[in-house]
Amino acid sequence: MGVSKSDPIIIVGGGAFGLSTALHLSQKGYTDLSVFEKDDHIPPRYSAANDLNKIVRAEYEDPFYTDLTIKAMDAWKTPLFAPHFHQTGFLHCVSGQAPEQAAETLKRFRASAERNPAIKPHVVPLEGREDIRQACWQLDGSLSGWNGYLNRFDGYAHSANALVAVYRTAQVAGVRFFLGEQGAVDEVVYVSTATGKKTAGVRTKNGRFHPSALVIVAAGAGAGRLLPELGQQVVAKSWSVAHVHLSDEETSALRGIPIVYARDLGFYFEPDPKTNLLKLCPMGGGYINTDARTGVSHAPGSLADSSFMPEHDERKVRELLAQTLPALKDRPLVKKSLCWFADTKDSDFIVDYVPQTESSIVLLSGDSGHGFKMFPIVGSWVTNLLEGPGRQQSIARWRWKGPQKSEEKADWGGAVSWRLGESKELRDILPARASKL
Ligand SMILES: Cc1cc2nc3c(=O)[nH]c(=O)nc-3n(C[C@H](O)[C@H](O)[C@H](O)COP(=O)(O)OP(=O)(O)OC[C@H]3O[C@@H](n4cnc5c(N)ncnc54)[C@H](O)[C@@H]3O)c2cc1C
């Protein structure tokens, strides 16, 4: 027997996947929905989506995700999401010094864009500085050896604002929110059954028990702490971000620029007109925080441990600016942080029941650093799972992945073609002032 529409359902996590799930379940007529979020406000500071912007690009090496993104982009253009979606285009290049792997990955992305009839008409090839200046005249750096393409089909979403919009809509629809101390889930509580065990609800850090028929764990990089049986199939990983604070005039001059993305250096977005912040992200294999005892990487508990940008990342984003917007290359970087997400070996999401829980717990995880573009439709994958036949995820690649073989190292940064470089341990890059765990 599946969950009924009036059964109490708990969603753990008020980030991108949890809020989208609350929205879709409420729209499907589920009436007893509660979201538990450990931060005391939404957007939560712990959410990977608590950010000015995230790329919404449709071309993937894998057409499965291209098709999904096209669906998501249709939803981004509906009234709830449209104010937060900006179809500025995606200027996707490699610099003159890019390693072969970056250039090869770029070629595959471009081929994917040109294969898809909906995307192809929006793709403009770029060979060298003049082409790039035609596409974006503001880029007045040397752009030495740069080539790639501009895809006007793509854009970005203001992710923090989109989270707030869905939070408010879900509240109006009757979803209850437990935030801060009341919303920090300490454990999933189980009861024994004739055939094993199932969940009875959750216990929050303040000691309160909240009963439910179904628990949906959408805790991003925090999933492994709630479901230890996940083991190494999900790795808490982070990338760094930083910002340049521009003047009103500088922000205005850069209005409407596409996302400027060099696969070997990093990328930035149109500056945010409210805060005048230009967000920068370096490319790289990211950072993990492995517990030596278990071999599992968890996000650090304190935000303070993530409030910096590693030096080599800073060098990369400054080089990106030097080659594209040289006037900004020596500006102070502000609002630096490591942003934690839930990585899987193959970059596939996990949307499935947790085994041996009698279908009483759903795991929604493994965003692998590319999940925000799907925000408007993620929740529909959960309703499909709950209402589909057979109490099983019909999309094989989104199933619970089973235990990782112990001899495999749970650092698969370089194994995925669209990422460049291996992951480093947080303890090896922490600045001297921060504590280790
Ligand atoms: C630097 C960076 C850049 C990215 N860029 C892009 C991009 O350009 N395009 C794109 O599509 N995607 C991008 N992503 C990925 C995107 O941000 C994620 O896919 C998305 O946020 C995943 O949503 P989530 O709900 O699984 O996790 P999150 O959004 O991280 O939310 C998880 C929530 O669970 C809460 N939580 C955790 N544990 C508990 C607990 N025990 N009790 C209560 N609450 C708990 C957390 O506080 C958090 O709010 C990027 C990610 C990073 C880190």
Side-chain angles (χ1 to χ4, degrees):
M1 256 283 289
V3 72
S4 88
K5 294 214 164 163
S6 56
D7 279 336
I9 297 178
I10 283 176
I11 299 165
V12 184
F17 284 12
L19 289 173
S20 182
T21 300
L23 180 73
H24 280 267
L25 288 179
S26 67
Q27 287 170 342
K28 278 277 190 172
Y30 292 84
T31 55
D32 192 348
L33 300 170
S34 302
V35 174
F36 285 72
E37 167 52 54
K38 69 180 178 181
D39 205 354
D40 57 9
H41 62 276
I42 290 181
R45 288 164 299 166
Y46 302 93
S47 163
N50 178 26
D51 208 347
L52 285 178
N53 32 46
K54 299 287 180 197
I55 303 172
V56 180
R57 53 123 178 109
E59 63 272 35
Y60 269 87
E61 292 174 70
D62 181 342
F64 173 80
Y65 285 101
T66 299
D67 294 345
L68 276 182
T69 308
I70 291 173
K71 268 193 208 144
M73 282 167 91
D74 287 342
W76 276 111
K77 294 173 187 167
T78 59
L80 174 60
F81 294 100
H84 314 293
F85 177 55
H86 307 284
Q87 206 165 9
T88 53
F90 178 49
L91 192 144
H92 192 188
C93 286
V94 285
S95 83
Q97 292 85 47
E100 190 57 24
Q101 188 194 344
E104 288 304 316
T105 305
L106 176 77
K107 275 188 207 151
R108 285 196 296 275
F109 271 92
R110 180 170 157 189
S112 151
E114 289 175 339
R115 238 186 346 259
N116 189 294
I119 306 174
K120 188 177 182 337
H122 304 271
V123 178
V124 181
L126 305 172
E127 284 300 331
R129 186 170 193 273
E130 284 323 302
D131 280 3
I132 291 170
R133 300 251 310 152
Q134 281 288 326
C136 181
W137 56 265
Q138 289 94 333
L139 303 184
D140 57 355
S142 67
L143 294 164
S144 169
W146 278 54
N147 69 86
Y149 64 90
L150 171 70
N151 184 356
R152 294 188 202 281
F153 190 79
D154 298 336
Y156 73 90
H158 193 306
S159 49
N161 287 354
L163 292 185
V164 172
V166 169
Y167 168 50
R168 290 192 181 135
T169 305
Q171 274 182 312
V172 170
V175 177
R176 280 183 301 273
F177 282 84
F178 295 82
L179 302 179
E181 200 178 293
Q182 298 177 5
V185 174
D186 203 24
E187 57 168 346
V188 177
V189 176
Y190 296 90
V191 286
S192 300
T193 64
T195 51
K197 65 171 186 176
K198 66 176 188 173
T199 187
V202 299
R203 193 177 318 280
T204 44
K205 289 238 154 73
N206 60 5
R208 268 196 67 189
F209 170 69
H210 299 264
S212 73
L214 179 77
V215 172
I216 300 171
V217 176
R225 290 202 196 269
L226 289 174
L227 298 173
E229 60 267 57
L230 251 178
Q232 297 181 346
Q233 65 178 296
V234 166
V235 167
K237 185 177 279 185
S238 61
W239 290 313
S240 67
V241 300
H243 305 76
V244 176
H245 195 218
L246 303 178
S247 66
D248 288 347
E249 291 73 18
E250 288 167 334
T251 300
S252 188
L254 294 176
R255 176 144 334 142
I257 62 166
I259 299 143
V260 175
Y261 192 114
R263 292 216 68 82
D264 49 315
L265 294 172
F267 56 98
Y268 56 81
F269 299 73
E270 168 183 46
D272 175 48
K274 275 219 168 119
T275 58
N276 287 352
L277 290 172
L278 175 125
K279 185 183 119 182
L280 291 152
C281 305
M283 290 302 288
Y287 308 100
I288 52 179
N289 185 37
T290 309
D291 179 333
R293 219 171 20 90
T294 60
V296 176
S297 170
H298 296 291
S302 131
L303 290 167
D305 279 344
S306 297
S307 310
F308 72 104
M309 176 180 261
E311 259 174 45
H312 54 275
D313 280 353
E314 186 160 334
R315 278 197 296 278
K316 269 194 188 157
V317 294
R318 289 200 184 282
E319 182 58 29
L320 173 68
L321 289 172
Q323 295 190 25
T324 56
L325 295 172
L328 303 181
K329 74 179 172 39
D330 297 318
R331 289 291 179 83
L333 296 182
V334 299
K335 290 174 85 75
K336 304 178 195 179
S337 66
L338 298 182
C339 172
W340 292 86
F341 63 100
D343 203 20
T344 63
K345 189 170 189 170
D346 45 18
S347 280
D348 276 320
F349 308 143
I350 304 173
V351 186
D352 201 2
Y353 294 104
V354 176
Q356 272 113 46
T357 62
E358 302 186 4
S359 308
S360 64
I361 307 179
V362 167
L363 172 69
L364 184 54
S365 183
D367 72 279
S368 302
H370 66 107
F372 191 78
K373 61 180 72 61
M374 310 291 182
F375 182 48
I377 62 168
V378 168
S380 67
W381 308 334
V382 179
T383 58
N384 290 347
L385 179 71
L386 298 184
E387 296 176 5
R391 326 290 309 142
Q392 201 198 18
Q393 174 55 268
S394 60
I395 301 169
R397 57 168 72 210
W398 285 355
R399 288 187 191 142
W400 180 269
K401 294 174 200 299
Q404 186 74 17
K405 282 194 234 97
S406 56
E407 67 271 18
E408 280 185 42
K409 210 167 138 242
D411 164 17
W412 40 70
V416 175
S417 74
W418 60 276
R419 314 235 187 90
L420 208 55
E422 294 295 326
S423 312
K424 294 191 172 72
E425 284 291 344
L426 178 64
R427 61 177 167 270
D428 297 332
I429 53 136
L430 272 179
R433 62 176 169 74
S435 67
K436 299 257 168 186
L437 264 178

